């Protein structure tokens, strides 16, 4: 009887872990005068985190002051070593200028191999690109429209090669009545938790082997 209970509990835990690993981490990305990102796992919002009350923030700040220097979290260390930190920084730099697909491509090229392998297993869904090229000079609008169309086409072809891509809308137009260019970009990026865990484990094993080889 006790053995059956133990087996049932163990089996239940295995099924629960399998279920949790089968769920996806979803990132909702939008560009409109700058990037906004929201990351969710199931019904839990991972980023951005909810703003805490002032009292709890004060306690957190005090606890940070008592921490020893160099106590970076495992996530921070992994992000730095895999190149995720630099990749996010490179992509974020596009907020300071017009939407630049070439900058995103360069950020991917500069990323390290573990991050590239993980990205290749991502699903980019509900992709929507809407550009209305405007300005005061009709000739410049026409030239800019041609460049934006070519850049968007190259970006989508490149993206289709490195991820599983599903496009909802791509609409690039020349609007001679608009004083400035309107640029909108949105998508949902999805990856199973199992894929993320496997990627971290593979990187950890590779890093451990590299460290042991140096010693």
């Amino acid at each position: 009887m006790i053995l059956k209970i133990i087996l049932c509990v163990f089996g239940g835990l295995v099924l629960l872990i399998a279920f949790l690993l089968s769920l996806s981490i979803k990132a909702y990305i939008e560009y409109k005068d700058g990037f906004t990102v929201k990351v969710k796992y199931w019904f839990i919002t991972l980023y951005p985190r909810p703003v805490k009350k002032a009292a709890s923030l004060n306690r957190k700040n005090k606890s940070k002051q008592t921490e020893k220097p160099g106590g970076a979290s495992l996530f921070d260390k992994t992000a730095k070593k895999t190149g995720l930190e630099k990749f996010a920084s490179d992509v974020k730099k596009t907020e300071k200028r017009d939407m630049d697909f070439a900058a995103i491509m360069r950020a991917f090229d500069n990323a390290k191999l573990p991050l590239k392998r993980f990205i290749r297993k991502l699903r980019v869904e509900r992709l929507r690109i809407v550009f209305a090229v405007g300005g005061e000079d009709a000739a410049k609008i026409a030239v800019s429209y041609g460049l934006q169309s070519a850049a968007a086409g190259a970006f989508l072809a490149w993206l289709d090669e490195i991820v599983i891509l599903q496009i909802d809308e791509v609409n690039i137009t020349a609007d001679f009545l608009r004083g400035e260019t309107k640029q909108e970009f949105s998508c949902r990026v999805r990856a199973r938790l199992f894929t993320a865990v496997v990627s971290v484990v593979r990187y950890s094993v590779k890093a451990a082997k590299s460290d042991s080889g140096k010693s």
Side-chain angles (χ1 to χ4, degrees):
M1 183 65 180
I2 296 178
L3 180 61
K4 288 184 178 181
I5 294 175
I6 294 175
L7 290 176
C8 288
V9 171
F10 179 76
L13 289 174
V14 170
L15 289 176
L16 177 61
I17 293 173
F19 170 73
L20 293 176
L21 290 175
S22 68
L23 296 176
S24 296
I25 300 174
K26 299 176 183 178
Y28 299 86
I29 303 172
E30 183 177 3
Y31 176 86
K32 183 186 287 187
D33 301 325
F35 276 106
T36 58
V37 180
K38 185 176 183 180
V39 182
K40 298 188 70 175
Y41 170 71
W42 202 359
F43 55 86
I44 303 171
T45 299
L46 303 178
Y47 179 87
R49 295 183 180 180
V51 178
K52 297 182 179 180
K53 295 181 179 179
S56 61
L57 287 174
N58 290 335
R59 287 196 298 269
K60 187 176 181 180
N61 291 334
K62 289 181 180 179
S63 63
K64 283 185 176 181
Q65 291 176 359
T66 59
E67 290 179 357
K68 295 182 180 179
S73 66
L74 177 60
F75 176 81
D76 292 336
K77 292 178 180 178
T78 303
K80 187 173 182 179
K81 290 183 178 179
T82 58
L84 177 60
E85 184 181 54
K86 186 178 186 305
F87 177 77
S89 176
D90 289 343
V91 172
K92 191 175 181 180
K93 288 177 183 178
T94 60
E95 292 185 27
K96 301 179 181 179
R97 55 180 180 270
D98 288 341
M99 187 66 179
D100 188 351
F101 291 140
I104 298 177
M105 295 181 188
R106 288 195 299 270
F108 175 80
D109 291 337
N110 293 333
K112 294 186 179 180
L113 185 59
L115 178 59
K116 289 183 178 180
R117 287 178 175 174
F118 175 70
I119 290 177
R120 293 184 188 280
K121 296 180 181 180
L122 295 178
R123 291 179 177 270
V124 177
E125 304 167 333
R126 304 177 185 176
L127 179 65
R128 180 175 175 269
I129 298 175
V130 177
F131 284 178
V133 182
E136 298 179 355
D137 189 321
K140 290 183 178 179
I141 291 176
V143 172
S144 180
Y145 166 75
L147 293 175
Q148 293 281 13
S149 299
F155 173 73
L156 292 175
W158 169 81
L159 192 63
D160 191 41
E161 291 181 358
I162 67 169
V163 298
I164 302 170
L165 182 62
Q166 180 253 317
I167 300 173
D168 272 5
E169 179 185 6
V170 177
N171 186 15
I172 302 175
T173 59
D175 190 344
F176 296 95
L177 300 179
R178 180 179 291 274
E180 59 182 12
T181 298
K182 173 187 175 183
Q183 298 177 323
E184 294 183 4
F185 170 90
S186 63
C187 69
R188 182 181 73 179
V189 182
R190 182 163 60 92
R192 287 188 178 182
L193 180 60
F194 177 77
T195 301
V197 171
V198 169
S199 298
V200 172
V201 170
R202 284 180 176 175
Y203 172 77
S204 300
V205 172
K206 185 176 181 180
K209 289 181 178 179
S210 178
D211 293 338
S212 62
K214 292 179 181 179
S215 60

